């Protein structure tokens, strides 16, 4: 065999084993750094020799491929859904029916009902071949490239006793933390947030860019296996068998000897679910023995051997006191109902969002109404309707505000958009703050020495009114200003004051940001609808701000992902003289408005998400090293903490720093290792 092919096969197997140790066993045996280096090596080899790439290559986890159109695929076995109930009584009836058909005692397997979307994953000869959504049950969409990015979906199985062909079924879901982070990001760039983790998971799985799917952090919970010649007699054993083949199986899976034990399980999880970090909407019980499942059979849509019990959301009716209109950082105006305080599922609810004008109109809320509020698995209360029995005669509809409550500008609503917004983006106070905060954000200019609180102080002191003002700040302006933040919910007050060190850090951070690459500057200046990815594509395509600002709508739309709405927004941005002035001032301040040669050559983002501490003396100036870290998407941090990804050590690195890195288990890498990591040679 060709030595390169050999090496690719070996690296693939090693990396898959390390992935398994990390994600399935929670017991990694190499550092993240070593892993990243091996992965990079494999990526390079595969790039040079795509013909040797293995079907289970771990490089597919990172994503990168683009799916033009999802192929429709017929399921080998149809994907059924479950009958469901909200009542304990119906669970008893289900049990009675089952026992009536198959005998006196029946053992059940109890599971959680994951709130995501169903997926069927085909394995052939131990290799993950295909992943298909449920679709209409008979056929679904082939989303293989996207599902491969989910680290708990094995690409190659362990052991040698698996059937040559079988399917694993389960749920793709989005953990709460990822859901919240995603929505925060979306709101930052003016995209509508997802209503719940299920919608977010399903939207993500249908993305055409698998690298973005990888970034969003979907997860997988398996709940069924289908195939001939499975070596098990029961559902429970089949799941344990999957564990032996290398799958991560759910933490919660329990046998119940009778329906009373099922009901105990259900009650337990109805309260305990609040502690889970992923969404569930009920429990599922299955007749455990496959032979009994067989004899019970199916109805037209559902198996007779399983049922889902769905948790009820708690519901209360409470008077509406008033409606506030909040202007967000992107100008979107959100109506919020102030309610007479009412206890609901463990907390007192006083406010609940009404989302937007459409939702408000659909609910047909009138002054003095009593509203039904519901709290399901999610923590956020939801208004689900009006208590019409309590409606006062002649109650007038609540009208959506017509003018911005912050700046008085008439509000705007675009056709085919749900949101109402304040168009005064350059002068409406929350929007000014929003733009400033967006500008300093981690993915934009990464001015972490400033932070939200400090930006607010600068704004309130009249020192920064727009993003170009940052580059004119001086030491004497900053030194000595302070602000007291009153503590919420009994927390002590917090005073932020600008002392010597703070001011020096702020100014140094601002200075450093002059080397932030063009694509991030483009994202940072806050053109509506231009998110991080679009900014990258625009930067690559137009190469500098002059070409971009001169582009026609047609030219803009040549860029992948840029549609009508984005193109119009870019044109509007550069037609506004105030924006142009800001851009000119930023150019004069020395920010990057052109792609560098290396960037043009297609530098990667290998250091994305990595925090790196640089210490010691190097063969090139330390600032150049720091610049490279930025260029490759990483972040320079000054002190070592548990969140540090690497310490990049030059000669004469301080012994204290080394000790600290070692005690926290942070990998220490040399200059040469650093070049290897970013794929450059030392001579280069
Ligand atoms: S078993 C034939 N188990 O709930 C049995 N489904 O209609 C197939 N779901 O679309 C389903 N958690 O996506 C099963 N532990 C679990 C589940 C589960 C969530 C979903 C599944 C299906 C829907 C039921």
């Amino acid at each position: 065999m060709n030595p390169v092919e050999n090496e690719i096969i070996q690296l693939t197997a090693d990396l898959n084993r390390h992935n398994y140790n990390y994600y399935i066993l929670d017991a990694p045996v190499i550092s993240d750094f070593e892993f990243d280096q091996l992965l990079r090596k494999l990526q390079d080899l595969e790039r040079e020799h795509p013909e040797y790439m293995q079907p289970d290559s771990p490089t597919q986890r990172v994503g990168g491929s683009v799916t033009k159109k999802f192929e429709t695929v017929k399921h080998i076995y149809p994907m059924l859904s479950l009958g469901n109930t909200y009542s304990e009584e119906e669970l008893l009836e289900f049990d009675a029916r089952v026992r009536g058909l198959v005998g006196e005692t029946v053992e059940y397997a109890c599971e959680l009902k994951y709130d995501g979307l169903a997926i069927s994953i085909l394995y052939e000869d131990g290799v993950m071949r295909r992943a298909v959504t449920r679709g209409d049950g008979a056929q679904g969409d082939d989303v293989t490239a996207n599902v491969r990015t989910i680290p708990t979906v094995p690409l190659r199985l362990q052991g040698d006793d698996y059937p040559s062909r079988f399917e694993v079924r389960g749920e793709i879901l989005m953990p709460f933390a990822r859901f919240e982070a995603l929505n925060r990001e979306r709101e930052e760039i003016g995209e509508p947030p997802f209503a719940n983790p299920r919608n977010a998971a399903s939207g993500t799985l249908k993305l055409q860019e698998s690298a973005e799917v990888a970034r969003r952090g979907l997860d997988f919970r398996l709940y069924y296996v289908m195939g001939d010649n499975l070596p098990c007699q029961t559902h429970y054993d089949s799941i344990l068998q999957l564990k032996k083949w290398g799958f991560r199986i759910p933490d919660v899976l329990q046998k119940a000897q009778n329906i009373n034990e099922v009901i105990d399980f259900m009650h337990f999880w109805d309260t305990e679910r609040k502690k889970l970090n992923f969404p569930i909407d009920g429990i599922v019980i299955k007749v455990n023995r496959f032979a009994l499942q067989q004899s019970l059979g199916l109805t037209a849509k559902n198996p007779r051997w399983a049922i889902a019990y769905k948790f009820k959301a708690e519901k209360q009716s409470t008077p509406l006191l008033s409606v506030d209109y909040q202007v967000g950082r992107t100008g979107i105006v959100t109506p919020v109902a102030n309610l007479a305080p009412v206890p609901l599922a463990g907390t007192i609810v006083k406010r609940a969002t009404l989302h937007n004008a459409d939702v408000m109109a659909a609910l047909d809320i009138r002054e003095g109404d009593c509203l039904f509020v519901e709290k399901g698995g999610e923590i956020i209360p939801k208004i689900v309707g009006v208590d019409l029995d309590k409606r006062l005669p002649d109650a007038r509809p609540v009208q959506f505000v017509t003018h911005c409550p912050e700046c008085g500008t008439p509000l705007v609503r675009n056709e085919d958009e749900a949101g109402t917004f304040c168009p005064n983006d350059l002068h409406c106070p929350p929007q000014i703050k929003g733009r400033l905060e967006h500008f300093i954000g981690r993915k934009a200019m990464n001015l972490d020495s400033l932070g939200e609180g400090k930006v607010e102080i600068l704004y309130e002191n009249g020192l920064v009114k727009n993003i170009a003002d940052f580059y004119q700040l001086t030491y004497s302006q900053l030194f000595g200003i302070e602000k007291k933040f009153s503590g919420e919910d009994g927390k002590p007050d917090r005073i932020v004051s600008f002392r010597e060190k703070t001011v020096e850090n702020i100014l140094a951070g601002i200075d450093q940001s002059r080397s932030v690459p063009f694509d991030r500057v483009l994202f940072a200046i806050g053109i509506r609808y231009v998110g991080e990815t679009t900014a990258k594509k625009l930067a690559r395509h137009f190469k500098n701000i002059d070409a971009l600002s001169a582009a026609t709508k047609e030219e803009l739309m040549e860029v992948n992902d840029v549609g009508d709405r984005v193109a119009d927004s870019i044109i509007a941005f550069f037609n506004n003289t105030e924006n142009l002035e800001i851009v000119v001032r930023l150019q004069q301040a020395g920010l990057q408005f052109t792609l560098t040669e290396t960037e043009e050559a297609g530098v990667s983002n290998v250091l994305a998400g990595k925090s790196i501490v640089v210490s010691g003396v190097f063969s090139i100036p330390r600032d150049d090293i720091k610049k490279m870290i930025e260029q490759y998407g990483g972040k320079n941090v000054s002190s070592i903490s548990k969140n540090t990804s690497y310490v990049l050590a030059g000669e004469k690195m301080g012994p204290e720093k080394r000790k600290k890195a070692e005690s926290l288990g942070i990998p220490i890498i040399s200059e040469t290792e650093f070049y290897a990591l970013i794929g450059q040679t030392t001579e280069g």
Side-chain angles (χ1 to χ4, degrees):
M1 193 187 288
N2 173 313
V4 180
E5 183 175 9
N6 219 349
E7 190 172 4
I8 287 183
I9 290 173
Q10 189 59 47
L11 275 170
T12 300
D14 288 351
L15 282 160
N16 280 339
R17 198 182 60 248
H18 291 310
N19 254 329
Y20 174 75
N21 291 337
Y22 188 96
Y23 286 105
I24 314 293
L25 302 182
D26 276 333
V29 295
I30 61 169
S31 69
D32 289 2
F33 172 69
E34 288 165 305
F35 184 90
D36 290 346
Q37 263 193 322
L38 292 177
L39 187 65
R40 207 178 151 84
K41 197 161 162 195
L42 179 60
Q43 274 171 330
D44 288 346
L45 288 174
E46 284 178 353
R47 202 173 305 124
E48 279 162 37
H49 299 276
E51 69 276 22
Y52 298 140
M53 177 160 163
Q54 301 297 301
D56 58 336
S57 170
T59 58
Q60 299 169 94
R61 300 270 195 218
V62 199
S65 60
V66 173
T67 314
K68 287 260 150 34
K69 186 176 167 293
F70 298 109
E71 296 294 323
T72 307
V73 178
K74 207 168 166 308
H75 291 295
I76 302 172
Y77 311 93
M79 284 183 83
L80 304 173
S81 62
L82 295 174
N84 66 46
T85 174
Y86 287 91
S87 101
E88 207 170 304
E89 215 176 345
E90 284 181 21
L91 270 188
L92 295 172
E93 284 169 22
F94 167 82
D95 173 58
R97 218 174 322 128
V98 167
R99 282 186 296 116
L101 289 167
V102 297
E104 246 343 89
T105 59
V106 174
E107 184 179 69
Y108 293 107
C110 307
E111 292 171 354
L112 301 179
K113 186 172 187 307
Y114 312 105
D115 199 7
L117 61 150
I119 194 84
S120 184
I121 311 178
L122 173 68
Y123 285 84
E124 273 174 346
D125 301 319
V127 176
M128 190 274 211
R129 290 283 174 206
R130 200 175 77 182
V132 184
T133 61
R134 193 176 109 84
D136 63 4
Q139 52 183 36
D141 288 339
D142 182 333
V143 288
T144 310
N146 289 347
V147 172
R148 281 200 173 118
T149 67
I150 301 173
T152 47
V153 172
L155 301 178
R156 178 180 290 275
L157 303 181
Q158 314 263 325
D160 51 14
D161 57 344
Y162 40 75
S164 61
R165 182 176 157 100
F166 69 98
E167 285 190 6
V168 167
R169 302 232 165 130
E171 200 87 347
I172 304 274
L173 54 80
M174 188 175 283
F176 288 126
R178 304 306 290 250
F179 168 69
E180 280 149 22
L182 177 62
N183 269 355
R184 269 200 306 275
E185 272 175 27
R186 288 174 72 85
E187 286 187 63
E188 258 176 35
I189 58 166
E191 293 276 326
F194 288 110
N196 53 49
R198 176 167 23 85
N199 291 0
S202 114
T204 301
L205 204 61
K206 304 266 163 68
L207 288 175
Q208 285 170 318
E209 216 169 307
S210 59
E212 175 63 13
V213 180
R215 202 185 62 82
R216 290 198 186 171
L218 293 174
D219 206 348
F220 170 62
R221 295 286 184 288
L222 58 85
Y223 54 62
Y224 203 62
V225 47
M226 303 206 81
D228 301 328
N229 309 322
L230 288 168
C232 310
Q233 308 303 318
T234 66
H235 175 70
Y236 187 90
D237 290 346
S238 72
I239 301 292
L240 292 192
Q241 182 62 56
L242 288 174
K243 182 174 181 176
K244 292 192 192 128
W245 292 335
F247 289 90
R248 175 160 211 145
I249 64 166
D251 296 328
V252 181
L253 170 66
Q254 201 170 305
K255 284 192 255 191
Q257 299 314 318
N258 53 52
I259 197 69
N260 291 331
E261 286 184 23
V262 170
I263 287 169
D264 287 345
F265 177 90
M266 179 267 281
H267 284 309
F268 179 79
W269 284 105
D270 196 1
T271 39
E272 208 65 11
R273 67 180 155 133
K274 298 181 186 93
K275 298 185 193 149
L276 293 171
N277 55 14
F278 57 87
I280 65 169
D281 60 346
I283 62 154
V284 175
I285 65 167
K286 297 171 183 168
V287 168
N288 196 24
R289 192 152 288 283
F290 285 145
L292 295 186
Q293 288 188 2
Q294 280 269 297
S295 57
L296 283 161
L298 315 169
T299 68
K301 277 199 310 235
N302 308 321
R304 279 202 194 84
W305 45 264
I307 191 167
Y309 173 90
K310 297 238 250 176
F311 296 133
K312 274 190 283 285
E314 267 190 62
K315 189 157 129 184
Q316 288 282 355
S317 141
T318 188
L320 169 70
L321 304 177
S322 61
V323 177
D324 284 345
Y325 294 86
Q326 292 180 344
V327 186
R329 301 301 209 209
T330 56
I332 300 285
V333 180
T334 307
V336 180
N338 290 309
L339 305 165
V342 60
L344 194 64
T347 57
I348 308 281
V349 176
K350 297 180 209 142
R351 285 161 73 76
T353 175
L354 290 163
H355 299 283
N356 56 48
D358 283 349
V359 170
M360 232 165 89
L363 287 165
D364 183 23
I365 295 175
R366 312 276 177 97
E367 285 170 8
D369 268 350
C370 267
L371 305 183
F372 287 117
V373 213
E374 216 178 72
K375 219 159 93 175
E378 291 109 65
I379 306 90
I380 304 153
K382 185 173 167 195
I383 291 174
V384 291
V386 175
D387 194 345
L388 290 177
D389 294 344
K390 295 196 186 146
R391 174 163 286 171
L392 304 169
D394 307 325
R396 285 181 307 169
V398 178
Q399 298 288 353
F400 202 93
V401 273
T402 52
H403 288 70
C404 176
E406 296 280 347
C407 70
T409 306
L411 298 177
V412 174
R413 189 170 163 192
N414 290 336
E415 242 178 88
D416 69 2
E417 269 178 37
T420 306
F421 68 95
C422 166
N424 183 19
D425 57 340
L426 289 171
H427 302 287
C428 175
Q431 297 193 67
I432 300 176
K433 285 188 216 167
R435 303 194 96 176
L436 297 173
E437 278 160 12
H438 171 78
F439 185 77
I440 66 165
R442 197 167 49 81
K443 292 181 178 151
M445 303 307 281
N446 196 14
L447 285 166
D448 55 356
S449 56
L450 269 167
E452 250 177 58
K454 294 201 187 90
V455 164
E456 196 154 342
I457 301 174
L458 294 183
Y459 174 68
E460 282 164 9
N461 279 276
L463 293 175
V464 178
K465 294 193 201 69
N466 66 49
I467 54 178
D469 292 341
F470 283 122
Y471 295 88
Q472 250 128 40
L473 290 171
T474 63
Y475 189 94
S476 58
Q477 280 177 322
L478 294 174
F479 185 78
I481 46 180
E482 63 178 41
K483 176 170 174 171
K484 191 159 121 186
F485 289 90
S486 55
E488 280 167 37
D489 299 337
K491 284 187 203 133
D493 289 353
R494 192 166 59 91
I495 296 177
V496 173
S497 58
F498 288 23
R499 301 198 189 292
E500 198 179 324
K501 196 83 205 135
T502 317
V503 176
E504 278 169 10
N505 280 342
I506 293 175
L507 292 174
I510 291 175
D511 192 37
Q512 261 198 16
S513 74
R514 292 186 163 93
S515 61
V516 166
F518 175 44
D519 62 317
R520 278 174 46 202
V521 175
L522 192 54
F523 171 59
I525 60 176
I527 306 174
R528 197 182 278 273
Y529 307 129
V530 174
E532 204 192 344
T533 318
T534 311
K536 273 204 177 76
K537 290 183 178 161
L538 289 168
R540 279 267 158 90
H541 188 93
F542 290 102
K543 304 199 169 49
N544 61 60
I545 194 95
D546 293 336
L548 174 66
S549 61
T552 62
K553 184 164 177 179
E554 289 67 39
E555 286 164 350
L556 287 167
M557 286 174 66
E558 279 168 22
V559 179
N560 188 4
D561 269 12
V562 174
D564 250 339
R565 195 177 65 144
V566 181
D568 285 342
S569 162
I570 297 171
I571 290 172
F573 182 92
F574 290 109
N575 273 339
N576 178 314
T577 47
E578 273 183 85
N579 284 330
L580 292 178
E581 263 168 48
I582 290 174
V583 169
V584 169
R585 283 177 62 202
L586 291 174
Q587 273 175 316
Q588 285 164 351
L591 270 62
Q592 306 297 318
F593 280 98
T594 307
L595 277 193
T596 61
E597 272 170 34
T598 20
E599 284 161 1
E600 262 193 61
V603 163
S604 69
N605 237 350
V606 270
L607 299 180
K610 306 273 191 249
S611 299
I612 301 178
V613 173
V614 180
S615 174
V617 181
F618 299 86
S619 66
I620 58 172
R622 186 150 42 161
D623 274 350
D624 289 354
I625 298 252
K626 288 191 169 172
K627 238 183 237 167
M628 286 166 92
I629 292 178
E630 289 264 337
Q631 276 174 354
Y632 285 83
K635 175 176 163 186
N636 287 296
V637 286
S638 51
S639 61
I640 302 172
S641 74
K642 65 177 196 324
N643 298 325
T644 307
S645 317
Y646 308 122
V647 175
L648 173 49
E651 276 173 45
K652 302 193 198 129
M653 170 186 173
E656 283 304 313
K657 276 214 164 115
R658 183 172 292 275
K659 231 200 244 153
K660 177 136 192 218
E662 280 167 0
S663 72
L664 289 170
I666 312 288
I668 301 176
I669 60 174
S670 68
E671 188 174 343
T672 321
E673 283 174 313
F674 172 70
Y675 293 135
L677 188 65
I678 60 175
Q680 288 207 349
T681 50
T682 340
E683 301 90 276

